Amino acid sequence: MAFKVGIIGPESTGKSCLARYLAQRYKGTCVPEYARTYVERKGTTEVSFDELCHIARHQIEEMEQIAKSQEPVVFFDTELIVTKVWFDYAFGRVPEWLEKAIKTYPMDVYLLTYPDLPWVADSARSNGSDAIRKELFDRYEAEIQALDIPYYIIKHE
């Protein structure tokens, strides 16, 4: 069974670069952020509740595949906690099946990226304010703490 590392944090905090680097450095697998691919194809960062459900289900399918694989270590460039927080942030509710999936496919450790890098706009980002980035960071940290899974805060220094 793979050792699973969830790399989560607000937008523009280096998650994708970190996930790719660590996968290469430790000869692991990097699972890219599906939501980014989805919104880039769509051409807008606005997603409906149903579209976010689609994104979450795709992430769950990835988790199911990893659970069946013989990969030694897998680095997830974002994962289900991020999606859960986005459901709550954007729609004020979270599907029960997503809550269950988070517990069914837990990470072994989280790397939580702190919003201390400058926000850089691109076609898949929409939340550049420092206040929103810090609020999302705090929400992600609270979710990890509630799961009682080890985590490390990654800061740029």
Side-chain angles (χ1 to χ4, degrees):
M1 182 178 291
F3 185 84
K4 298 176 298 301
V5 180
I7 301 173
I8 66 175
E11 291 180 356
S12 197
T13 55
K15 297 178 302 293
S16 298
C17 290
L18 181 60
R20 287 190 302 267
Y21 171 79
L22 291 173
Q24 181 180 9
R25 171 72 173 85
Y26 294 102
K27 297 177 180 40
T29 299
C30 177
V31 177
E33 179 184 6
Y34 179 66
R36 169 175 280 281
T37 302
Y38 185 88
V39 299
E40 284 176 344
R41 278 191 211 138
K42 184 178 176 184
T44 178
T45 59
E46 293 181 28
V47 295
S48 69
F49 186 88
D50 288 341
E51 287 173 310
L52 196 51
C53 285
H54 164 78
I55 290 167
R57 286 188 177 106
H58 181 89
Q59 290 174 308
I60 292 167
E61 288 173 14
E62 290 175 331
M63 301 292 233
E64 290 169 346
Q65 292 302 315
I66 293 299
K68 296 174 190 174
S69 79
Q70 297 299 313
E71 297 290 335
V73 61
V74 179
F75 298 90
F76 289 88
D77 176 5
T78 76
E79 54 75 78
L80 297 173
I81 284 179
V82 172
T83 308
K84 175 185 176 180
V85 168
W86 273 107
F87 269 110
D88 186 51
Y89 185 81
F91 302 105
R93 59 190 170 114
V94 177
E96 188 176 311
W97 51 264
L98 179 58
E99 296 273 11
K100 182 179 176 188
I102 291 170
K103 292 177 180 148
T104 302
Y105 301 105
M107 294 290 112
D108 294 295
V109 66
Y110 282 98
L111 302 179
L112 176 58
T113 56
Y114 193 79
D116 59 354
L117 290 173
W119 187 80
V120 177
D122 73 18
S123 63
R125 295 182 179 145
S126 61
N127 293 295
S129 94
D130 289 342
I132 292 174
R133 292 171 80 209
K134 181 64 169 91
E135 177 186 350
L136 293 172
F137 174 87
D138 291 343
R139 286 183 179 212
Y140 298 144
E141 186 172 31
E143 291 292 332
I144 295 168
Q145 289 172 340
L147 292 171
D148 198 28
I149 293 175
Y151 72 100
Y152 299 90
I153 296 173
I154 307 299
K155 291 186 174 184
H156 178 264
E157 295 188 21

